[in-house]
Amino acid sequence: MDELKGLPEATVIHDSSDLEPFLRDESHMVGLPPLAVVKPHGPAALRELVRLAKTEGFGLVPRGAGTGKAGGCLPTPRSVVVDFSQWPGDIRVSPQDLCLSAPASAPLREVKAAAQAQGLFYPPDPNSWESCALGGTLATNAGGPNACKYGMTRHWVLAVDVLLEDGEIHTFGISSVKANAGPALSQLFIGSEGLFGFIVGATLRLIPQPREHTTLLLPVKRWEDLLDLPGRLCGDGYLPSAFEFFDPAVLAELRAHGPETARRLPGEALAILEFDERGSTSEAYLEGLLDLLGPMAEGLEIASDERQRQNIWAVRRMTSVFLKERHPKKVSEDIVVPRSRLREFFEGLDRLGCPAVTYGHLGDGNLHVNLLAAGDTEPALLERQLMDLFRLAVNLGGTLSGEHGIGLAKREAFLALGDPAQIQALRALKQAMDPCGIFNPGKVI
Ligand code: MLT
Ligand code: ZN
């Protein structure tokens, strides 16, 4: 695209073989070849890109590290990918203000480490936390195991710097948890997958770093045994910082074909529970937990040191990649149902007769239902199976995505199953904020 040749403050990629890596993210979708990929280094590039997008009629597709699970960063027809990996800026921690500011390009790993170096904690921990970029986690409102105690990315955002359709960068929010001068517009951009503008930086809330962790492997006969546990724990004053689970099929795969540490995992189904409050490694705390678990505690294993804890998490963290290596064409979903409806969900899933295995964030009702045979399933049937799955979650008061977003992968289902009033409101907002439709066209709505 000739118009992009003189773009200031940017690296521009045109060569079709160099465009290839931008056609994919971590979803099962593939994008169309973009007109070009632009890596902006400064605001002048964005200003000019926005101007050109309007005059030449192309779309702008934001990209972070490409670790998304819903195709949100994949190029659509007549689009230019805006890759924020070279966007400048430093990570700055302010212990006094209990916050941190960072550019969209900052690796989440470095953001978390910068906080930790000051004894502070930035909790969001998507599975891709070691490879994803902050900007992508903001655009998709990423979640992870910690969300059952600490909430999603959006709960940690104080302010965002956003490229708007006037071509300029505007800041929404201030570096304080208290800011009530009108609605919190910063939140509009979190999880909106670049529909209203592109996030180039943010100010994030921090809290003191937890200093103790108790990590438990809780083997059970059936996943049903776990269903009332989150409620019972909280009722007794125990709020887990993570409550993960593997169903018998996933656990069997891990044990049979996973790494050495997975081969020793106990149980027919298995929960991983972690507690991180002060005192959680004390004997009194553990005794209280054992009392509460009662007969369930039989077979319980407690990580006795940081190495054992890290081994447990390493298995949990590699589960998605491991299943993908074994079933390269699998489709992995991330539905949510209220915890009180989990039993009905699993019963409904059985009734659907859809060949699925499940693991994930049981503590907050966010389940990774994996259709391992998706690659061998006739496309129309696969689509029906996915729609049935989504409908089941929605009818139980849940939703079709807990942490991965809608992007391209779930757009049709979102439009079919979403509340029409909500979709209309989103479209009205889109029209108001992006009247020329240049920001991530063809995604979400
Ligand atoms: C996970 O929790 O393992 C990921 O969010 C799930 C996935 O990779 O599909
Ligand atoms: Zn997950």
Side-chain angles (χ1 to χ4, degrees), residues 69 127 244 316-317 320 330 332 359 361 368 403-404:
K69 298 264 178 191
N127 202 41
E244 302 288 304
R316 169 59 187 88
R317 292 281 180 192
S320 168
K330 77 167 178 132
S332 172
Y359 70 97
H361 318 290
H368 296 306
E403 55 178 12
H404 296 165

Side-chain angles (χ1 to χ4, degrees), residues 62-79:
R63 187 175 177 100
T67 56
K69 298 264 178 191
C73 66
L74 300 186
T76 41
R78 221 179 137 61
S79 63

Side-chain angles (χ1 to χ4, degrees), residues 236-255:
D236 223 30
Y238 292 96
L239 177 57
S241 49
F243 188 146
E244 302 288 304
F245 101 115
F246 299 121
D247 82 357
V250 175
L251 187 57
E253 283 249 359
L254 279 166
R255 224 169 2 224

Side-chain angles (χ1 to χ4, degrees), residues 1 3-14 18-19 22 34-42 44-50 52 58-64 79-87 198:
M1 220 202 165
E3 290 79 358
L4 293 176
K5 289 227 166 90
L7 202 65
E9 297 186 328
T11 305
V12 183
I13 302 172
H14 276 111
D18 295 335
L19 296 177
F22 297 89
L35 301 172
V37 171
V38 172
K39 299 186 181 191
H41 315 152
L46 295 180
R47 199 174 294 128
E48 183 60 4
L49 259 180
V50 165
L52 284 170
F58 57 78
L60 300 174
V61 177
R63 187 175 177 100
S79 63
V80 168
V81 172
V82 187
D83 174 328
F84 281 97
S85 59
Q86 294 180 2
W87 186 254
F198 294 169

